[in-house]
Amino acid sequence: FYKQDHRAMTDFLQYLRFGIQDSAFSLPPVLLMLAFLLDLAIGDPRWLPHPVRIMGSAISRTEIYLRKWKVGSKKWEALEKFKGIFLVTTIVGMTFIVTWFIVHILLSISPTSRFLLLASYVLLIYLTSTTIAVRELINSARAVIEAVTNSNIEFARERLSIIVGRDTHALTEKEILKATMESLAENLSDGVIAPIFYLIVGGLPLAMAYKAINTLDSMVGYKNDKYIHFGWAAARLDDIANYIPARITGFFIAVASFLVFRSLFIVHSSLFTMLRDGRKHLSPNSGMPEAAMAGALGIRMGGPSAYGGIVIEKPYIGNVRTEDYSRASEQAIAIVKASSVLGIATAIAVLFLKGGA
């Protein structure tokens, strides 16, 4: 039995090696599937080192250094943009190179050392899982929804402030739930579908580079006085990186809505709303998944929101079919789950086809 188990483990490791084909830019379907399952199982526990936290620390330190660059007493817009471009180039470039180097080293481990080979693939699976955020996305949204259900509005506002950029201290129950559903739709694209897309295109190095872009945008990609020029490059690059994934996400939401509602009318409403209202959003990408979600749930998203005490007038997205936002928020979570499964199933199928080509 020992010999059989030993041979089975060796065959499995060799299968993984064949799937990766000794390239840091390719990913075997089984590794992606295991990474997805690992994310569902453990999410992003604080006790484990996470690449995004490392990226965040590097961004903060680099920004502090770049802020010291001055030309006399003037604050030139061009200089601020140059600093921002330097920040983006440095963080994204280093993330890509370091990830490629780590993957290359792990793939270079000799198959004669089965323990080291197994350990290398466990690390690869973990690193791949850190690019996907299904569990954390659902848990963060559910924490807000449960707080509203339990009439703990202050706690709901506090939890919501963690996942959205708008002011939350004065939001009503309905506004809290609406913001949560908007966040679910947007972060389904940023945290699930987009990383999976880049894992298919360029393996772990490209997916990590995308996470660096996304982290940069979340930290410096604001249009306030401090970051309007410094964060310009981060915001523009994030728009480019998310252009295709956001539209794929909208399509997956529409398909997933059929699995949740069992209605072709809902699918049509989701697609129609995405095509009609997706471009109304101030972001060129966030509007697509949000509009698809609004059409599927029969709610209206958007509208005025306050950021740092300043009210921003956003166009409304979607048509009202229901006022039961509590039920709609639970349906939104179901759509996110179904969309994530559709995304990973599609990715595995594409990787199988790529491997057989």
Side-chain angles (χ1 to χ4, degrees):
F1 288 109
Y2 171 77
K3 290 182 178 179
Q4 290 178 348
D5 291 343
H6 190 66
R7 188 180 300 110
M9 176 60 72
T10 302
D11 291 343
F12 176 70
L13 293 176
Q14 291 298 334
Y15 170 72
L16 281 177
R17 178 171 287 278
F18 174 77
I20 296 177
Q21 296 176 335
D22 294 326
S23 171
F25 303 114
S26 61
L27 195 70
V30 66
L31 195 150
L32 179 57
M33 180 182 67
L34 291 173
F36 182 74
L37 293 175
L38 182 62
D39 174 70
L40 292 179
I42 67 172
D44 299 323
R46 300 294 301 181
W47 54 270
L48 275 176
H50 197 286
V52 171
R53 288 195 285 272
I54 297 172
M55 293 173 195
S57 177
I59 292 167
S60 297
R61 291 174 181 272
T62 308
E63 179 183 353
I64 292 172
Y65 174 75
L66 291 174
R67 293 289 186 185
K68 296 177 181 178
W69 290 6
K70 294 182 180 179
V71 179
S73 60
K74 295 182 179 180
K75 182 180 178 182
W76 292 351
E77 294 180 4
L79 178 61
E80 288 293 293
K81 282 191 175 184
F82 175 77
K83 290 178 183 179
I85 293 170
F86 183 85
L87 174 68
V88 168
T89 304
T90 301
I91 297 298
V92 176
M94 287 302 298
T95 299
F96 182 86
I97 292 170
V98 169
T99 305
W100 174 86
F101 181 76
I102 291 173
V103 175
H104 179 73
I105 292 297
L106 291 174
L107 293 178
S108 300
I109 294 175
S110 172
T112 57
S113 176
R114 292 180 179 84
F115 173 76
L116 290 178
L117 190 60
L118 178 61
S120 70
Y121 286 124
V122 169
L123 183 55
L124 278 174
I125 290 168
Y126 171 68
L127 289 175
T128 304
S129 75
T130 63
T131 65
I132 307 169
V134 180
R135 184 184 176 97
E136 289 302 311
L137 172 59
I138 293 172
N139 285 349
S140 59
R142 192 171 290 285
V144 178
I145 295 168
E146 289 179 354
V148 172
T149 302
N150 296 327
S151 299
N152 192 345
I153 302 304
E154 287 304 319
F155 183 68
R157 290 167 178 162
E158 179 185 334
R159 298 301 299 180
L160 179 63
S161 67
I162 299 174
I163 60 176
V164 301
R166 73 191 67 182
D167 299 342
T168 62
H169 61 275
L171 296 183
T172 64
E173 289 187 13
K174 183 177 179 180
E175 290 170 336
I176 291 171
L177 292 174
K178 182 184 73 170
T180 303
M181 288 183 278
E182 290 175 351
S183 177
L184 277 169
E186 180 179 356
N187 287 306
L188 173 62
S189 177
D190 294 352
V192 182
I193 303 303
I196 291 173
F197 174 80
Y198 286 106
L199 283 168
I200 295 172
V201 174
L204 188 56
L206 192 59
M208 280 296 183
Y210 167 78
K211 296 298 288 187
I213 293 169
N214 198 237
T215 305
L216 279 160
D217 180 63
S218 67
M219 293 182 67
V220 304
Y222 299 105
K223 294 183 178 179
N224 53 28
D225 291 340
K226 183 178 181 181
Y227 290 113
I228 184 65
H229 302 298
F230 186 84
W232 172 83
R236 295 292 78 76
L237 186 58
D238 186 74
D239 288 343
I240 294 170
N242 281 298
Y243 187 85
I244 295 175
R247 283 144 184 83
I248 294 174
T249 303
F251 175 76
F252 279 147
I253 288 174
V255 176
S257 68
F258 177 79
L259 301 177
V260 174
F261 294 99
R262 299 290 196 277
S263 169
L264 289 176
F265 169 77
I266 299 297
V267 176
H268 174 268
S269 176
S270 179
L271 290 172
F272 177 78
T273 306
M274 179 179 72
L275 295 174
R276 186 193 66 187
D277 296 345
R279 295 182 181 86
K280 292 181 180 179
H281 200 283
L282 299 179
S283 164
N285 299 318
S286 298
M288 293 298 173
E290 286 187 21
M293 185 70 80
L297 299 175
I299 64 171
R300 191 169 67 166
M301 295 183 177
S305 297
Y307 295 84
I310 300 174
V311 177
I312 304 297
E313 294 293 335
K314 297 181 179 180
Y316 286 103
I317 294 174
N319 297 322
V320 177
R321 291 198 310 269
T322 179
E323 293 292 341
D324 189 351
Y325 275 43
S326 293
R327 184 182 180 189
S329 60
E330 291 292 343
Q331 292 168 338
I333 288 179
I335 289 176
V336 166
K337 290 179 179 178
S339 298
S340 300
V341 172
L342 284 171
I344 204 70
T346 302
I348 289 171
V350 171
L351 289 174
F352 266 117
L353 292 174
K354 284 178 65 176

